[in-house]
């Protein structure tokens, strides 16, 4: 089965059960996934149908869903209606929060949005009541931080309204209620880069184009799952290959796995190749919950260490040294503290008795390190035309922690993608259903609006490296946190621009005009 899946082993096991086969008789391949975002775990109906047709026809079958079919059959982000009540004291500390939330999960549940209320700020008295509402509208599905963008939008907008009632700077109000010391530093770093003090106090233009700024906190809990295994093999020609049964959901997984092995073996990156996305490789967990990097990099590093130890035993007699006295650096294996006594890595590989030498590693349960969650914040500037109701995002400053950043380029791309997705959620994307039939009225790319190049703001990304000590690479996930805060910060910025909150997403022109009393 070739499919677009975030969990190839989950698909394998589902098909094995459905067709009464032993798991080893099912092979699932996901060479390139495309988008994931939480909706592609397990064998969905389209996977089972294609497999059944292929077995009946005794021939390959390719099944592709049209855009409208994807909306109906493969899951949608749950909607959320929230009533939020906050109480604060004169010192600017929130003393009580009450949330009533109803989420529409279609024919499935999982529509809760209360987690941000329990994770971002310190609320000494918190009550949440969350209910799923079932309707005939197809299943719900996770979509990049399940429940968090919805919950944080309402929470941060309420925080803004409370700050204004207290006559406090909105960022200062958040600082006073923040729970995470890393986020406290990120607030400072982001405020300087964004010029918060200057922009938040700037007078509004007399014309129809009003600028506003907003800030929102971000967080997630992508600290990994134990279980992934990896193999690292060195070949006689000096090549190194990393193999593990994970999948790349567009985040650069191949790159970071190769980087971890290359650094451990002292090799340039172009000498290491990562092969993933096949259930014939060693087991790995599904790519979701921001767990891919922190779950797989420790297994790869352990495997690379074990391979290095085997290579040291080969090289030791050649260098007249003990294996424990060697190190791998700069494409060589050399005597530690005597770098002149060295052999090229490829020359050592030529001594391999067979075709290759390999070693395996696994990700053990996390250590009791520093913070197991990551923090972040995003600052946004918008421009709203109060005559047309059109809102545009001008620039975003995103500051995030993902533990040890392995590859700044792919990490920055993660944040860019999270921000762009958040812009679509905040200003454009809306599934419109006929209230009588439940049919989707805008299922095509013509009618379901997504951000295009001209809708993308200027995005500045900064990372805070945190030595969290929770695994042997110190890596945390990043994919969810990069998306969590965007819509909330945009909502707060629109509020600042027009002086009245727009409490429903997407913030389309009709809602802006209605809020202004110009509908």
């Amino acid at each position: 089965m070739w499919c677009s899946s975030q969990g190839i082993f989950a698909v394998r096991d589902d098909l094995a059960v459905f067709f009464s086969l032993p798991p080893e008789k099912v092979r699932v391949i996901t060479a390139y996934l495309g988008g994931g975002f939480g909706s592609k775990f397990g064998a969905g109906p389209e996977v089972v149908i294609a497999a059944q047709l292929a077995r009946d026809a005794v021939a390959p079958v390719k099944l592709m869903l049209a855009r409208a079919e994807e909306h109906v059959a493969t899951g949608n982000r749950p909607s959320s209606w929230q009533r939020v009540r906050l109480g604060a004291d004169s010192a600017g500390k929130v003393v009580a929060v009450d949330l009533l939330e109803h989420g529409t999960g279609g024919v499935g549940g999982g529509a809760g949005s209360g987690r941000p209320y329990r994770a971002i700020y310190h609320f000494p008295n918190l009550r949440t009541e969350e209910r799923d509402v079932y309707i005939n509208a197809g299943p719900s599905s996770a979509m990049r931080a399940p429940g968090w963008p919805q919950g944080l939008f309402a929470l941060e907008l309420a925080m803004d309204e409370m700050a204004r009632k207290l006559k406090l700077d909105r960022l200062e109000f958040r600082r006073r209620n923040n729970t995470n010391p890393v986020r406290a530093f990120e607030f400072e770093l982001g405020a300087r880069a964004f010029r918060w003090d200057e922009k938040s106090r700037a007078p509004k233009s007399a014309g129809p184009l009003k600028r506003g700024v907003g800030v929102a906190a971000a967080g997630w809990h992508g600290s990994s799952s134990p279980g992934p295994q990896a193999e690292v093999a060195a070949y006689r020609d000096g090549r190194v290959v990393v193999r593990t049964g994970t999948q790349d959901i567009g985040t650069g997984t191949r790159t970071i796995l190769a980087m971890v092995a290359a650094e451990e073996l002292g090799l340039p990156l172009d000498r290491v190749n990562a092969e993933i996305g096949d259930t014939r490789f060693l087991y790995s967990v599904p790519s979701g919950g921001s767990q891919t990097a922190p779950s797989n990099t420790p297994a790869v590093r352990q495997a690379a260490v074990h391979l290095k130890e085997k290579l040291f035993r080969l090289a030791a007699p050649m260098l007249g040294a003990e294996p424990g006295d060697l190190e791998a650096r700069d494409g060589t294996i050399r005597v530690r503290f005597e770098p002149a006594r060295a052999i090229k890595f490829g020359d050592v590989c030529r001594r391999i008795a067979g075709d290759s030498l390999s070693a395996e590693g696994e990700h053990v349960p996390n250590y009791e390190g520093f913070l197991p969650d990551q923090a972040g914040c995003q600052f946004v500037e918008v421009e709203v035309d109060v005559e047309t109701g059109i809102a545009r995002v001008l620039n975003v400053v995103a500051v995030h922690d993902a533990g040890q950043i392995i590859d700044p380029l792919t990490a920055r791309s993660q944040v860019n993608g999270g921000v762009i997705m958040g812009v679509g959620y905040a200003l454009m994307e809306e599934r419109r259903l006929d209230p009588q039939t439940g049919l989707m009225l805008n299922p095509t790319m013509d009618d379901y609006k997504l951000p295009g190049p001209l809708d993308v703001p200027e995005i500045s990304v900064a990372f805070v490296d945190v030595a969290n000590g929770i695994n042997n690479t110190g890596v945390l996930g990043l994919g969810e946190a990069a998306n969590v805060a965007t819509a909330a910060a945009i909502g707060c910025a629109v509020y600042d621009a027009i002086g009245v909150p727009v409490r429903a997403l997407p913030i389309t022109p009709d809602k802006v005009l209605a809020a202004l009393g110009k509908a």
Side-chain angles (χ1 to χ4, degrees):
M1 171 65 71
W2 283 263
C3 65
S4 174
S5 174
Q6 294 174 246
I8 55 175
F9 286 93
V11 173
R12 180 200 67 178
D13 294 345
D14 286 348
L15 291 175
V17 170
F18 188 87
F19 293 106
S20 300
L21 295 169
E24 64 270 18
K25 293 293 185 180
V26 182
R27 181 185 182 189
V28 178
I29 301 169
T30 298
Y32 294 96
L33 171 61
F37 313 118
S39 65
K40 297 179 178 179
F41 293 109
E46 71 282 355
V47 175
V48 174
I49 289 169
Q52 184 65 62
L53 289 172
R55 286 167 65 87
D56 291 348
V58 196
V61 169
K62 181 177 182 179
L63 189 155
M64 294 183 67
L65 299 182
R67 185 68 176 180
E69 293 167 337
E70 288 187 354
H71 279 292
V72 171
T74 63
N76 299 273
R77 188 204 307 257
S79 63
S80 177
W81 177 94
Q82 298 169 64
R83 186 194 69 193
V84 188
R85 297 192 295 174
L86 271 68
D89 61 21
S90 58
K93 295 291 187 69
V94 176
V95 296
V97 177
D98 181 31
L99 167 68
L100 171 64
E101 190 260 355
H102 289 78
T104 300
V107 296
S113 299
R115 181 66 187 269
Y117 292 82
R118 299 186 288 273
I120 298 292
Y121 300 113
H122 176 62
F123 299 145
N125 300 288
L126 171 64
R127 179 174 65 187
T128 64
E129 180 179 341
E130 302 175 68
R131 296 177 178 271
D132 286 345
V133 179
Y134 297 92
I135 62 174
N136 294 316
S140 65
S141 180
M143 188 172 173
R144 201 166 189 169
W148 279 62
Q150 301 96 308
L152 199 67
F153 171 73
L155 171 59
E156 291 287 30
L157 209 53
M159 292 285 285
D160 258 28
E161 295 192 46
M162 178 60 79
R164 293 177 188 276
K165 289 182 181 294
L166 293 169
K167 294 181 171 55
L168 274 176
D169 177 84
R170 292 168 288 151
L171 177 58
E172 176 59 26
F173 183 51
R174 287 167 169 82
R175 287 191 185 110
R176 294 185 187 185
N177 293 279
N178 174 51
T179 60
N180 190 311
V182 177
R183 188 181 296 111
F185 176 73
E186 291 168 338
F187 275 146
E188 299 294 332
L189 183 63
R192 289 196 301 270
F194 184 75
R195 308 201 318 272
W196 172 265
D197 289 342
E198 173 191 336
K199 291 182 177 181
S200 64
R201 295 169 186 165
K204 294 292 180 279
S205 164
L209 298 180
K210 309 294 186 183
R211 290 200 175 190
V213 295
V215 59
W220 191 249
H221 44 271
S223 60
S224 80
S225 295
Q229 300 168 287
E231 177 193 36
V232 180
Y235 289 81
R236 286 175 58 86
D237 60 5
R239 290 179 297 117
V240 172
V241 177
V242 177
R243 295 186 182 94
T244 183
T246 188
Q247 44 283 306
D248 191 335
I249 60 173
T251 57
T253 299
R254 287 179 175 83
T255 301
I256 62 170
L257 297 185
M259 290 177 77
V260 168
E263 179 175 299
E264 196 61 52
L265 295 170
L267 295 173
L269 185 57
D270 59 10
R271 295 275 294 275
V272 181
N273 184 43
E275 297 179 357
I276 63 175
D278 193 327
T279 54
R280 291 190 177 179
F281 299 152
L282 293 174
Y283 173 80
S284 183
V285 295
S287 294
S290 297
Q291 296 188 94
T292 309
S295 297
N296 289 286
T297 54
V300 169
R301 186 178 185 192
Q302 189 186 90
V305 168
H306 292 165
L307 174 63
K308 184 169 62 175
E309 292 169 347
K310 291 183 177 182
L311 292 169
F312 284 175
R313 290 195 289 271
L314 271 182
M318 303 164 65
L319 292 167
E322 294 296 320
D325 296 331
L326 303 182
E327 64 179 3
R329 291 286 185 276
D330 302 325
T332 68
I333 292 178
R334 65 192 190 189
V335 179
R336 191 180 293 108
F337 308 122
E338 293 185 62
R341 293 172 61 190
I343 303 175
K344 291 181 179 180
F345 184 89
D347 291 339
V348 176
C349 289
R350 277 190 277 273
R351 296 293 186 97
I352 294 173
D355 179 61
S356 63
L357 193 63
S358 64
E360 296 180 2
E362 63 177 329
H363 174 34
V364 299
N366 285 336
Y367 317 137
E368 293 184 2
F370 185 52
L371 294 172
D373 296 343
Q374 67 265 51
C377 61
Q378 293 184 8
F379 295 78
V380 168
E381 183 175 17
V382 303
E383 184 177 74
V384 184
D385 188 328
V386 295
E387 293 181 348
T388 65
I390 294 174
R392 292 192 309 122
V393 182
L394 302 179
N395 63 81
V396 177
V397 171
V399 187
H400 288 278
D401 147 46
Q404 171 81 17
I405 301 292
I406 293 179
D407 182 11
L409 177 61
T410 53
R412 195 173 299 112
S413 294
Q414 276 271 65
V415 178
N416 288 341
V419 169
I420 294 168
M421 178 176 278
V423 170
Y425 180 50
L427 300 181
M428 303 171 194
E429 295 187 54
E430 183 174 24
R431 184 171 59 126
R432 293 182 174 269
L433 303 180
D434 183 286
Q436 300 301 319
T437 66
L439 294 175
M440 186 173 177
L441 304 178
N442 61 331
T444 69
M445 295 295 285
D446 288 333
D447 300 318
Y448 186 91
K449 298 302 181 184
L450 296 168
L454 297 180
D455 302 306
V456 176
E458 178 183 344
I459 305 171
S460 300
V461 181
F463 293 114
V464 177
D465 276 339
V466 177
N468 55 48
I470 63 171
N471 57 48
N472 68 26
T473 59
V475 173
L476 287 173
L478 182 60
E480 258 94 350
N483 180 58
V484 163
T486 309
I490 292 172
C492 293
V494 171
Y495 178 17
D496 182 53
I498 66 175
V500 59
V502 180
R503 295 196 178 106
L505 297 177
I507 302 173
T508 46
D510 59 314
K511 293 174 186 172
V512 172
L513 296 178
L516 289 167
K518 295 182 179 179

